[in-house]
Amino acid sequence: MRTGWRLVTAGVLGLLGIYLAAVWTTTGQRADLALTGMVRAEGELAARLHDLLTLVGPWTMVPLAAVVVVAGTVVKGWRVGLAAAAGVAVCLVTPQVLKPVLPRPELAVTWPLPNSLPSGHTAAVIAVVVALLIVVPRSRRRPVLVAGALASTMMGLLMVALPHHRVSDVVASGAVGVLGYGVALLVRWATTSTKT
């Protein structure tokens, strides 16, 4: 239970910290723009990356997360399935709720995109990782975490390169993933502790 609460706290504080530093400070906005500019793709590369995005976007990741949740439910029971579903829901819903309500003032940078923090595409990949971390045996969690970190980073780079998102948006999605995993652990603990 303590690990779950620690992760929830770390996720919330991380998300808040990234938002305040990258959005509400002149230095943060400038650094965000500079980092985003370093990753931006143009021309033929951008076109190829866009084609790749159509293959690995949320329309692929959301069903994949659902498959992991269902498989976890069938193999390990409804408590594991519910915990995985809770983590996935936090990862998928949080970006959609936050983006419209978090203001983004133009302190140092004029940016044509509306507020895009956190990245929903990156959070969708992280949702699959969170579900797997709940479902797989403890001995397999480390490889899942490493592979998931690589996949999430690749999606984040893709989103910044196109450019659909800023670097801070992608980093904020990582904080959403920590929050989602914490919630999943708490749900798993709560359902296990009330087991009759």
Side-chain angles (χ1 to χ4, degrees), residues 15 88-100 117-118 123 176 179-180:
L15 189 56
V88 167
V90 169
C91 292
L92 297 178
V93 172
T94 302
Q96 307 315 315
V97 170
L98 292 182
K99 282 191 274 193
L117 184 144
V176 170
L179 172 62

Side-chain angles (χ1 to χ4, degrees), residues 23 86 108 162 171:
V23 175
L162 282 175
V171 176

